[in-house]
Amino acid sequence: MRRTRTTETVFTRSLERCEFGSSFKTDRNGFIASGTRKNQLFLHNAVSQNADEFRPVYDWFARKLEIVGIEAQYGAFYLMLLRDDFREFIDERLRRYGTGISRLLLREVSRESINVTPDFLEDCLASISEDDARFAQPQVNGPAGSEIYVINLESDEPTFQKVQLAHASSDGREVAFDLSQESMGTQRLVKLLPLFFELASSDTEGKVYVVDELDRSFHTALTCDLVSLFLDGCSESTRKQLIFTTHDLLLMRQKRIRRDEQWIAENLDNNGTKLICMGSHKDARVDTNLLGAYQDGAFGGYPQFK
């Protein structure tokens, strides 16, 4: 846990026991730890037993940490499309990256046109009613890619909408394409743009976003631009963070990402993984060609094929 300029250990847990930092080492916490099942999260168990000293850490994981997988969509398009600033943001980015898309839109469709089982739809409707959220946003994956739908229960009867992308034809007409008709890179971009909208917003201070394979299906220039625009919006007072994994070696250039912000994952012979911080490596200096040195094996983590 970070306290302004210092850090403090809350607890560390192994298969055998749980050890606490000095501020959290009490008989009660030891009792809670001894009663935590091996397949149970200690943090969840402690908060459920009103150990409020762990509440800030629990809330950070629950409310501040956002993890986005390779195939995952991010954000609720339906709510964001009600905001003019989001519509302007996503439409500008789609044009900026030369996708040929003029804007993102929602088109009303019939229940029967959604390629899922009736039971799945009924479960979605039931979950909306239980959570009182009034809408759901299922993603349907097919051979050609994903389709994103919005189910809305704000009226007496549910309505169904489909995320589509508008292209301008040669005669100036607007033609709507399904998301699955776009390239995999465009599909990925559409799913991630709500995340970068949040990163650019002042409403998300203190949040940490973790994206797996940010560069997946992207050209290097697009990935670099996404990262650069985020960094350009940061200042000394900014309290938000973007963490991502990548296989794009060109991002190792120190022009945009400092060496202390880069980590290499090295596979070990025991099937484990070691993380190497470039900023603390003796061969990584401010004038070092990190990419060339990495390819020469200076830092470790470069594949050695047998």
Side-chain angles (χ1 to χ4, degrees):
M1 182 169 64
R2 188 170 184 83
R3 299 183 185 275
T4 60
R5 297 180 180 276
T6 62
T7 58
E8 178 182 2
T9 299
V10 178
F11 69 90
T12 57
R13 185 183 183 187
S14 64
L15 293 175
E16 292 78 24
R17 62 183 179 275
C18 193
E19 297 182 357
F20 298 93
S22 57
S23 300
F24 299 86
K25 194 172 184 178
T26 64
D27 291 341
R28 182 169 186 266
N29 290 340
F31 176 77
I32 294 174
S34 65
T36 303
R37 302 187 305 273
K38 289 185 177 182
N39 64 344
Q40 184 181 24
L41 295 175
F42 167 76
L43 203 56
H44 187 276
N45 186 36
V47 170
S48 68
Q49 297 191 47
N50 298 319
D52 291 335
E53 61 267 40
F54 297 104
R55 172 63 68 175
V57 182
Y58 179 89
D59 287 344
W60 183 86
F61 279 104
R63 300 175 185 174
K64 298 295 186 181
L65 181 64
E66 299 282 356
I67 299 177
V68 183
I70 296 174
E71 298 296 339
Q73 56 173 302
Y74 182 83
F77 282 110
Y78 180 72
L79 290 183
M80 288 186 171
L81 282 171
L82 297 178
R83 298 177 52 171
D84 291 338
D85 54 349
F86 174 70
R87 296 182 72 99
E88 293 172 2
F89 175 88
I90 194 169
D91 293 346
E92 185 276 329
R93 289 298 182 93
L94 290 172
R95 293 191 295 268
R96 175 185 179 90
Y97 297 131
T99 61
I101 299 166
S102 57
R103 66 189 182 100
L104 184 146
L105 50 86
L106 289 171
R107 180 173 66 87
E108 192 162 332
V109 296
S110 66
R111 178 198 296 250
E112 293 73 25
S113 67
I114 304 177
N115 189 25
V116 295
T117 64
D119 289 343
F120 178 85
L121 273 185
E122 290 303 322
D123 289 342
C124 283
L125 294 171
S127 65
I128 298 173
S129 300
E130 291 172 3
D131 298 339
D132 199 29
R134 311 315 298 163
F135 78 95
Q137 187 174 294
Q139 174 177 302
V140 180
N141 297 320
S146 304
E147 299 290 359
I148 297 174
Y149 294 90
V150 173
I151 303 175
N152 191 343
L153 269 181
E154 290 183 320
S155 57
D156 294 336
E157 291 295 326
T159 60
F160 304 88
Q161 293 172 301
K162 186 178 191 178
V163 172
Q164 289 192 320
L165 302 162
H167 291 255
S169 64
S170 57
D171 58 3
R173 291 184 301 108
E174 189 175 78
V175 181
F177 280 64
D178 288 342
L179 185 59
S180 62
Q181 293 176 302
E182 303 288 348
S183 68
M184 297 304 293
T186 298
Q187 293 183 41
R188 172 79 165 157
L189 180 62
V190 168
K191 294 174 186 178
L192 286 182
L193 280 178
L195 180 148
F196 283 92
F197 174 73
E198 285 197 356
L199 280 171
S201 171
S202 60
D203 298 334
T204 55
E205 287 297 323
K207 297 193 72 170
V208 176
Y209 300 81
V210 181
V211 184
D212 191 14
E213 294 192 22
L214 174 63
D215 60 311
R216 184 182 176 93
S217 301
F218 288 168
H219 190 281
T220 295
L222 193 156
T223 308
C224 288
D225 194 72
L226 286 171
V227 175
S228 294
L229 289 174
F230 163 66
L231 293 175
D232 289 342
C234 295
S235 66
E236 293 183 358
S237 61
T238 302
R239 292 295 177 266
K240 64 183 71 173
Q241 190 173 19
L242 171 64
I243 302 172
F244 62 90
T245 65
T246 179
H247 293 98
D248 192 337
L249 299 185
L250 293 181
L251 292 177
M252 295 184 73
R253 295 176 298 179
Q254 296 192 64
K255 182 179 179 181
R256 292 304 300 169
I257 304 178
R258 302 192 313 264
R259 62 189 187 281
D260 62 295
E261 296 173 322
Q262 301 182 40
W263 294 69
I264 296 172
E266 180 177 36
N267 292 329
L268 304 177
D269 291 337
N270 63 357
N271 295 323
T273 302
K274 179 173 71 173
L275 293 178
I276 304 165
C277 178
M278 299 287 284
S280 60
H281 201 284
K282 61 181 179 62
D283 293 326
R285 300 180 301 274
V286 68
D287 59 343
T288 300
N289 177 357
L290 296 182
L291 175 56
Y294 170 66
Q295 290 177 312
D296 290 338
F299 309 125
Y302 195 80
Q304 302 294 326
F305 302 123
K306 299 178 181 179

